[in-house]
Amino acid sequence: MIVPSKIFLVVAFALAVTGCAGQNTHDLLNKTTIIVPASDIAATHKIFVATTRQKAMKAPRQVFDGDRSPTTSFASVEVTVPKIHQLGAIERVKGSANSNPAKDFTATGVTFYEGAPQFAKAVGADIAMRGDRALVFVHGFNNGFDDGIYRLTQIAHDTKYPGTPVLFSWASSGKTTGYIYDKESANAARDDLEATLRMLAKSRAKSIDIIAHSMGTWVTMEALRQLAITGDRDLGGKLGYVILASPDIDVDVFKKQMIRYGKPDKPFAVLLSGDDRALRLSTLISGDKPRVGDYGDAADLASYGVSVIDLTKTKGGDRLNHAKFADNPFLVQLLGDRLRAPAGLASEETAPAQLDNLGQGLGKAVGSVAEIVITTPFKVLTIATGG
């Protein structure tokens, strides 16, 4: 419970920051899309979607809104990336202006699936065509449907992920003042994420990788915990990388989740940062209890079998420092370098050398130096990076 003296601070902080997203209308589709030469487009990505959001009836250009649905809906979205795209950025049209695919990420079409069987057939065919891998992204607090679509597009594009991108979009309100609503929406989505992961495991996918951000890490950990309870914590051997970025989870709760899940057999990483301003709000709301995403004792977390990557001394793409894993050019390249090697071939013993080589190379190219501190159950490694 928040004491009265802190209520004003919480409200003021919520209004002062933009949360995990920066758009207000949350329109995914634009009124008009400018026609541009194909040479102005870097790539077109097909993003598959499983969502616990309601269809947006009052604002159809949002496609799905922030209201909760009792069932999971399925869709796919075609998104173009402009040739001028900068690594780590999401170039978006401002306000109600027309989208220009030569300058902006642009959603060009949406396909709706009647139910899970039709979706499973479509996503399964894409997985088989693209290399038998799937990347599931679970977004965080204060995200509209559009935010999740564009962030996963950016991640898939910048990391050059060799597989099928799948967005699990739970019913965030997309408002900085909607923290409690979002937390309950995250709770309500646990079974749906579990079912989505099981569905993907029945496809021809050989590896199902997961990246979860902020409050999305709560949904993810609960789904993994539920899988462990049923005796299928690794999806029949198909679970690949699990990457929890800026986890908005109480540290004590996370420890209990990991005890129930057990020490991971595949690479399982926690990305944290001591200067994460978005998690300060969460800490205040949660009674000054530390969140995993800005926890100061990496060795404590690593004792549960995870690799802890401390990004405190690297730069974020905005003043919140809450999405460094995706908006810092060096870090997104580092993420891509790791993801392109299937999790079954990855090793915590070989990773440090790979990271060190990449860090030195980019550090020389950029000319500035920061540090990434990696704490595993076995060792601590400090890497000089490109900032």
Side-chain angles (χ1 to χ4, degrees):
M1 180 177 180
I2 307 172
V3 297
S5 63
K6 292 183 179 178
I7 293 177
F8 175 76
L9 291 175
V10 172
V11 174
F13 192 81
L15 294 176
V17 302
T18 56
C20 301
Q23 298 291 319
N24 293 320
T25 63
H26 292 298
D27 286 349
L28 177 68
L29 303 175
N30 295 280
K31 291 181 180 180
T32 306
T33 298
I34 299 171
I35 304 300
V36 302
S39 58
D40 289 341
I41 305 299
T44 299
H45 295 271
K46 188 171 188 176
I47 307 298
F48 286 88
V49 178
T51 182
T52 56
R53 298 174 182 269
Q54 291 276 11
K55 279 191 176 180
M57 306 304 292
K58 295 181 180 179
R61 289 201 301 275
Q62 291 184 13
V63 184
F64 292 98
D65 60 26
D67 291 333
R68 301 173 190 143
S69 170
T71 58
T72 309
S73 296
F74 303 96
S76 62
V77 182
E78 299 274 351
V79 185
T80 61
V81 177
K83 205 155 196 176
I84 66 164
H85 168 65
Q86 298 294 310
L87 195 69
I90 300 177
E91 294 85 1
R92 291 197 57 174
V93 64
K94 303 298 182 182
S96 59
N98 293 333
S99 179
N100 183 348
K103 298 180 179 179
D104 312 307
F105 277 63
T106 303
T108 59
V110 179
T111 300
F112 298 99
Y113 300 99
E114 293 182 1
Q118 188 181 58
F119 176 78
K121 182 177 180 181
V123 74
D126 196 84
I127 289 171
M129 177 181 69
R130 292 179 181 273
D132 299 333
R133 294 181 67 186
L135 173 63
V136 178
F137 177 62
V138 188
H139 65 74
F141 159 64
N142 185 26
N143 268 224
F145 180 67
D146 57 324
D147 297 312
I149 288 289
Y150 286 127
R151 176 59 78 189
L152 178 52
T153 301
Q154 178 254 319
I155 291 172
H157 185 81
D158 286 351
T159 63
K160 299 180 175 64
Y161 183 77
T164 298
V166 180
L167 171 67
F168 182 79
S169 184
W170 51 277
S172 166
S173 66
K175 301 175 182 177
T176 56
T177 54
Y179 188 87
I180 301 302
Y181 175 88
D182 278 18
K183 189 60 178 286
E184 298 305 330
S185 292
N187 287 337
R190 295 173 290 187
D191 293 348
D192 303 85
L193 177 55
E194 178 190 359
T196 299
L197 293 173
R198 290 187 187 278
M199 176 197 302
L200 294 173
K202 292 179 181 178
S203 73
R204 286 183 53 183
K206 295 179 180 177
S207 180
I208 301 167
D209 305 311
I210 302 173
I211 298 177
H213 180 227
S214 188
M215 196 177 286
T217 62
W218 166 262
V219 188
T220 300
M221 282 303 304
E222 285 295 285
L224 293 176
R225 179 178 177 275
Q226 290 174 190
L227 287 170
I229 290 172
T230 66
D232 187 27
R233 72 174 195 156
D234 64 350
L235 296 171
K238 292 187 174 185
L239 183 65
Y241 295 101
V242 176
I243 299 172
L244 306 181
S246 308
D248 189 0
I249 307 175
D250 182 290
V251 170
D252 293 331
V253 173
F254 178 74
K255 291 177 180 179
K256 295 291 284 187
Q257 290 170 326
M258 288 305 304
I259 289 171
R260 188 59 166 170
Y261 181 77
K263 291 195 173 183
D265 298 319
K266 298 284 182 67
F268 197 121
V270 173
L271 279 57
L272 53 79
S273 184
D275 61 352
D276 190 323
R277 295 183 69 237
L279 289 182
R280 292 180 192 172
L281 172 61
S282 178
T283 299
L284 286 172
I285 292 174
S286 304
D288 283 336
K289 296 298 182 181
R291 317 310 285 172
V292 175
D294 60 358
Y295 189 47
D297 192 343
D300 186 23
L301 295 177
S303 68
Y304 292 84
V306 304
S307 295
V308 182
I309 304 176
D310 188 342
L311 308 178
T312 301
K313 294 185 179 180
T314 62
K315 296 178 181 178
D318 61 37
R319 60 197 180 97
L320 296 179
N321 298 314
H322 191 52
K324 291 182 180 180
F325 78 103
D327 64 24
N328 177 296
F330 169 78
L331 296 177
V332 77
Q333 287 189 53
L334 193 63
L335 179 64
D337 187 68
R338 189 69 162 146
L339 285 173
R340 285 191 294 275
L345 301 178
S347 165
E348 295 304 332
E349 295 301 312
T350 60
Q354 296 171 353
L355 294 171
D356 191 34
N357 291 335
L358 183 60
Q360 290 181 12
L362 286 179
K364 291 178 181 178
V366 175
S368 61
V369 177
E371 288 182 351
I372 295 175
V373 181
I374 302 175
T375 304
T376 74
F378 312 104
K379 64 178 69 176
V380 176
L381 175 69
T382 301
I383 300 173
T385 78

